[in-house]
Amino acid sequence: MRYLLTLLLALAITFQAYAQQFEGGDANARVGELINSSNYSTLSKELPALREKVAKPLLALADALVAHHDGRFEDSNRAIDKVSEFAPELGGEVIFGMQNLSLVNYLSLEDYKSVLGVVQLLLMSMPEDDSTRENRRNLESMSRWFTALSSKPSVVVERPKQDVVIPVEVRELGNGEHLVVDVKVGDKIEDFIFDTGCGNSNFISTAVAERLGVEIVAEDILIRGVGEGYAKLGYLPEMKIGDVTIRNATFFVVDKLLPEHVEVEGLCEAALGTHIIRKMGEIRFEREQSRFVLPAQESAAPKERNVFFNSQYYIWCNDGDERIEMHFDTGNNRTCLSSKYYERFKERVEQNGSKVERSRSGGFGGVEWCDVRFMPKVEFEVGGHALQLKKVSVNMPTKYEDGTPYIEQYDGVVGVDFVTASEVVTFDLKRMFYRIDK
């Protein structure tokens, strides 16, 4: 989805200039500024007071982006329909970007027929030349993906009307941990990583797919991790996690989750993705009991959401007086901070961190090495609760081939240690919050 994010960034920059053309300039300029800086949480708070003063095309765009950011995918697509009414004023680039956003919304809703329709529309509107070759390759892969699923029902999660307990193994892995749950298909049981960074499908090896009887419904699906490669697309009518029944799960099936030459003792060959985790609703992790609890009755969500969506799920917390934004990825065995974090807190990192070391991280498609400094401890605040992590790596800035500095977009990645550092935490990817209870 990287190409999609690039389009949306271009869209925001284009639209800021467009917003300044309207009368009532203060409100339009403010909304354009917040869109341009991707500060949708602030835009969500300020927009109600500005609505009457904002030009209708700009308002429709703001509504679409804020709803997407909040995980309200149906609302976002309704606003995108409104944006399309202003095509003459907005121009093709803005409308094209909004079509891309609707694609991600439909994908998050598992409305596979609608995703396929958007993909086909984008392919028809895209010129066949070298400038669009990579984008066309992405879309053609997605067309294979959603052609296969367009006749399949979306994921359904069924559970008893009582507290549901799911045992969790906190498994040591390399220099960190994984959260592992048992998935049962018939009389077969497989270990799955509980992975909030695995979007839109589950991720499993060919060997696991064969053991579980996963039906292969498509080939040559382009996916990206550390590198890129192709996967098969699989489908399973039913599987169980404890007393939770999951119907119509989909899978990216690859020979190996990590490259052949990377050996990690205890690594699972399967990962449970967010298309299921989101539908599980509120999940409470209790460290001492090593378990997840899905409560029969939802608790009250915090007044302010601290989880947001941008093709993946992100969480924000405070580092002192500064707010930081982190990818919420429990498939990462440890929290790591980015080059953006380094630039923001450079003096502290250089004063308290280790000397620069080489560090390896792996994922589908390859392994990457980078220069890091290790902080002996970092302290965050999440919803008014303190959180301390030990020995956290901070990426050093790198450069593109032309020498231009490359700074990562977000402040880092939340790993399993972020979850296990507290006795009890609750999170909900549908209501978009993460809370430390104890």
Side-chain angles (χ1 to χ4, degrees):
M1 292 295 181
R2 289 178 187 170
Y3 118 87
L4 168 66
L5 300 181
T6 302
L7 282 174
L8 292 179
L9 179 59
L11 166 69
I13 294 169
T14 299
F15 209 87
Q16 186 196 37
Y18 169 75
Q20 293 169 351
Q21 300 173 15
F22 293 101
E23 296 179 2
D26 288 349
N28 290 315
R30 177 59 175 164
V31 171
E33 174 193 350
L34 293 172
I35 289 174
N36 189 48
S37 61
S38 301
N39 190 350
Y40 302 125
S41 56
T42 301
L43 180 59
S44 180
K45 292 177 186 176
E46 295 187 10
L47 194 59
L50 298 173
R51 296 188 72 86
E52 299 303 318
K53 302 175 184 178
V54 178
K56 289 182 179 179
L58 179 57
L59 181 61
L61 181 70
D63 283 339
L65 292 169
V66 165
H68 176 79
H69 174 269
D70 289 347
R72 295 182 288 110
F73 305 117
E74 298 98 330
D75 292 343
S76 182
N77 273 345
R78 279 192 285 271
I80 290 169
D81 289 341
K82 192 72 175 174
V83 170
S84 66
E85 296 175 12
F86 301 104
E89 298 99 312
L90 300 177
E93 186 177 357
V94 171
I95 300 304
F96 186 74
M98 286 290 97
Q99 288 170 341
N100 276 273
L101 188 63
S102 73
L103 185 156
V104 181
N105 289 333
Y106 284 129
L107 176 55
S108 300
L109 293 167
E110 296 165 70
D111 183 347
Y112 302 130
K113 289 183 181 178
S114 294
V115 177
L116 180 60
V118 175
V119 168
Q120 292 172 339
L121 180 64
L122 291 170
L123 278 168
M124 286 188 295
S125 65
M126 188 177 292
E128 293 191 45
D129 56 36
D130 287 346
S131 67
T132 64
R133 182 178 299 170
E134 182 62 21
N135 292 345
R136 180 169 287 278
R137 185 170 72 114
N138 291 335
L139 289 170
E140 287 171 346
S141 170
M142 294 184 78
S143 181
R144 292 189 291 273
W145 178 1
F146 297 111
T147 297
L149 293 184
S150 60
S151 62
K152 302 287 187 183
S154 60
V155 169
V156 175
V157 173
E158 299 172 352
R159 47 162 294 179
K161 294 180 180 179
Q162 61 191 42
D163 285 2
V164 175
V165 174
I166 299 173
V168 178
E169 178 190 354
V170 182
R171 180 181 296 180
E172 290 188 11
L173 191 82
N175 62 352
E177 299 168 327
H178 269 163
L179 301 177
V180 178
V181 296
D182 286 343
V183 171
K184 186 175 182 181
V185 179
D187 60 353
K188 299 179 177 65
I189 298 175
E190 291 287 345
D191 292 343
F192 272 61
I193 301 165
F194 185 88
D195 189 354
T196 58
C198 181
N200 307 314
S201 190
N202 303 298
F203 201 71
I204 61 174
S205 71
T206 300
V208 173
E210 290 175 351
R211 285 198 295 269
L212 296 182
V214 172
E215 175 193 1
I216 302 302
V217 296
E219 307 267 351
D220 298 327
I221 307 301
L222 179 65
I223 55 175
R224 291 185 173 89
V226 172
E228 72 171 35
Y230 286 90
K232 296 176 182 178
L233 182 68
Y235 173 83
L236 194 63
E238 182 178 313
M239 64 187 198
K240 294 179 75 72
I241 305 174
D243 291 330
V244 177
T245 300
I246 296 141
R247 305 191 191 280
N248 315 316
T250 63
F251 300 83
F252 293 132
V253 182
V254 297
D255 288 340
K256 292 284 185 180
L257 271 65
L258 291 176
E260 289 281 357
H261 64 280
V262 178
E263 294 184 8
V264 181
E265 186 176 349
L267 179 68
C268 293
E269 284 293 299
L272 188 74
T274 56
H275 77 313
I276 289 173
I277 294 171
R278 182 174 187 265
K279 290 194 174 185
M280 291 170 75
E282 181 174 318
I283 301 172
R284 185 169 71 244
F285 173 70
E286 299 177 349
R287 187 181 65 194
E288 292 300 315
Q289 291 81 10
S290 293
R291 67 185 189 180
F292 289 134
V293 178
L294 280 56
Q297 194 133 16
E298 291 180 338
S299 65
K303 291 182 179 179
E304 246 186 81
R305 300 180 183 197
N306 59 358
V307 172
F308 67 95
F309 188 80
N310 188 6
S311 293
Q312 296 273 6
Y313 291 90
Y314 293 81
I315 182 169
W316 63 72
C317 51
N318 286 346
D319 185 316
D321 295 330
E322 296 285 328
R323 191 175 84 171
I324 62 173
E325 298 179 335
M326 311 266 282
H327 180 203
F328 183 28
D329 182 4
T330 56
N332 226 45
N333 66 347
R334 289 193 67 84
T335 296
C336 54
L337 300 169
S338 70
S339 53
K340 178 182 178 181
Y341 182 93
Y342 171 78
E343 293 291 349
R344 292 181 65 182
F345 302 98
K346 184 174 182 178
E347 183 177 346
R348 184 202 306 168
V349 174
E350 294 195 342
Q351 181 177 345
N352 298 323
S354 68
K355 294 181 179 179
V356 175
E357 304 177 30
R358 293 289 283 170
S359 179
R360 184 186 77 173
S361 60
F364 175 73
V367 170
E368 60 184 5
W369 289 86
C370 60
D371 290 336
V372 303
R373 289 179 184 266
F374 284 96
M375 297 288 286
K377 67 177 181 179
V378 294
E379 296 179 351
F380 300 134
E381 182 186 292
V382 182
H385 291 264
L387 177 72
Q388 185 180 103
L389 304 178
K390 296 181 179 179
K391 198 176 182 184
V392 177
S393 64
V394 183
N395 290 347
M396 298 294 99
T398 57
K399 294 183 179 181
Y400 290 104
E401 290 182 3
D402 64 1
T404 306
Y406 168 69
I407 303 296
E408 293 155 281
Q409 184 179 2
Y410 292 100
D411 292 292
V413 179
V414 164
V416 171
D417 55 335
F418 191 95
V419 177
T420 58
S422 306
E423 289 184 42
V424 181
V425 300
T426 300
F427 53 91
D428 188 327
L429 297 187
K430 192 167 187 180
R431 293 191 291 159
M432 305 292 277
F433 72 84
Y434 182 99
R435 184 180 69 221
I436 296 175
D437 295 319
K438 191 175 177 183

